[in-house]
Amino acid sequence: AAHVLRGQWGLNKIRLVEELIRRGIPFKTLLPLQSGHQVPSRRPSRQSTGIGGRPREFEPKVAEYVLYENLRDSFLREHPHAISALSAGGILWRLAIDCLEIQSAFRGPGSDPEHQVSLELNREIFVHDTLDSGEEDIICGVYKVLTSKFQLLQ
């Protein structure tokens, strides 16, 4: 809140969102939970494969990086809840900011409860979109490499 006040961004919600995204400051866009709907307070974790596995002798090349960028950008553009990467801050924000338009965050949470979690504020329940760990791994380009003992490492 102090950062917003010092920045003199005003109280216009769209301007606030723009400034938060430009700076990579984490925030959430919330919608009131419609009566009769239930949304978990966190998404269930799933086994992440990231962008797949690689053999032990794998050595990344430029072409591998280009494939990762295409996969990441396709994921970000094709999944409406992926815009939550813009409001996540950190590395997720940095990787998403070059692919997604800032204005896409103005839509707020989508309508798919599979990609939402709930949050209680002042005895009212709200929902917001979120990424699960596997989706974060896709955006970050995580792949698994087999070691000589055939254990998977991230």
Side-chain angles (χ1 to χ4, degrees), residues 17-43:
V17 169
E18 285 176 340
E19 296 297 335
L20 292 170
I21 291 174
R22 281 197 180 102
R23 289 167 173 77
I25 298 171
F27 67 96
K28 292 178 178 25
T29 55
L30 304 174
L31 282 177
L33 181 64
Q34 295 184 6
S35 63
H37 291 88
Q38 288 194 335
V39 175
S41 59
R42 61 184 193 127
R43 286 185 66 187

Side-chain angles (χ1 to χ4, degrees), residues 3 5 10 16-17 21 23 29 37-38 53 55 57 69 71 78 81 84 88 108-109 111 118 125 128 133 139 142 152:
H3 195 79
L5 293 173
L16 287 173
V17 169
I21 291 174
R23 289 167 173 77
T29 55
H37 291 88
Q38 288 194 335
E57 57 280 342
E69 286 184 312
L71 179 66
E78 293 170 12
H81 72 284
S84 63
S111 59
S118 62
I125 299 179
H128 64 93
S133 61
I139 295 169
V142 171
L152 288 177

Side-chain angles (χ1 to χ4, degrees), residues 36-97:
H37 291 88
Q38 288 194 335
V39 175
S41 59
R42 61 184 193 127
R43 286 185 66 187
S45 61
R46 63 181 173 112
Q47 181 67 30
S48 171
T49 57
I51 59 172
R54 304 293 187 271
R56 184 177 70 153
E57 57 280 342
F58 173 71
E59 293 184 28
K61 305 275 191 268
V62 172
E64 182 80 21
Y65 185 74
V66 171
L67 287 172
Y68 149 68
E69 286 184 312
N70 290 335
L71 179 66
R72 177 199 65 207
D73 292 352
S74 292
F75 173 80
L76 288 167
R77 289 187 186 114
E78 293 170 12
H79 295 84
H81 72 284
I83 61 169
S84 63
L86 287 175
S87 62
I91 189 71
L92 292 171
W93 161 79
R94 184 65 197 99
L95 294 168
I97 192 71

Side-chain angles (χ1 to χ4, degrees), residues 8-9 19 30 81 93 100 106 116 136 141:
Q8 299 177 351
W9 303 338
E19 296 297 335
L30 304 174
H81 72 284
W93 161 79
L100 298 174
F106 300 159
Q116 294 179 334
E136 290 175 353

